[in-house]
Amino acid sequence: QVQLVESGGGLVQPGGSLRLSCAASGAIFSIYAMGWFRQAPGKQREFVAAITGGSSTKYAESVKGRFTISGDNAKNTVYLQLNSLKPEDTAVYYCNAQEYIMTEGKGINHWGKGALVTVSS
């Protein structure tokens, strides 16, 4: 089983920065990709960024150039650096891990409980 724990959320002023962390534990050997999603008040959950085991990255257009996703395999942790923050970035940010179970030939998504990021003056 895979467990994900986010940390690093908080209050920041517009134009400021934060770094979110997501620590994975459990059966992490089966994880092939990790990423971040977010959900703002009254909005649907949306994709933010993802990284694969080969360090290939992908970003939503709304955050490209401002956010950076990275991983530390030795620490089983993925990070999201949030720069040039805007009020519309305010949301609960959820860590995601994609697991492939070879013996069953299927993939499974795991989610953390979320970290709140509030961007306000």
Side-chain angles (χ1 to χ4, degrees), residues 47-113:
F47 169 78
V48 176
I51 186 169
T52 69
S55 299
S56 177
T57 59
K58 183 179 180 180
Y59 298 92
E61 288 298 320
S62 60
V63 306
K64 194 171 185 178
R66 299 189 298 122
F67 294 4
T68 303
I69 188 170
S70 62
D72 187 335
N73 290 332
K75 296 182 178 180
N76 300 319
T77 301
V78 65
Y79 305 95
L80 184 68
Q81 179 68 41
L82 299 81
N83 296 329
S84 302
L85 284 163
K86 306 173 182 179
E88 52 263 43
D89 293 318
T90 296
V92 176
Y93 286 72
Y94 296 92
C95 182
N96 167 263
Q98 296 184 46
E99 177 186 13
Y100 182 67
I101 304 176
M102 295 184 64
T103 55
E104 299 182 14
K106 64 180 181 180
I108 298 176
N109 278 294
H110 299 275
W111 298 91
K113 294 182 179 180

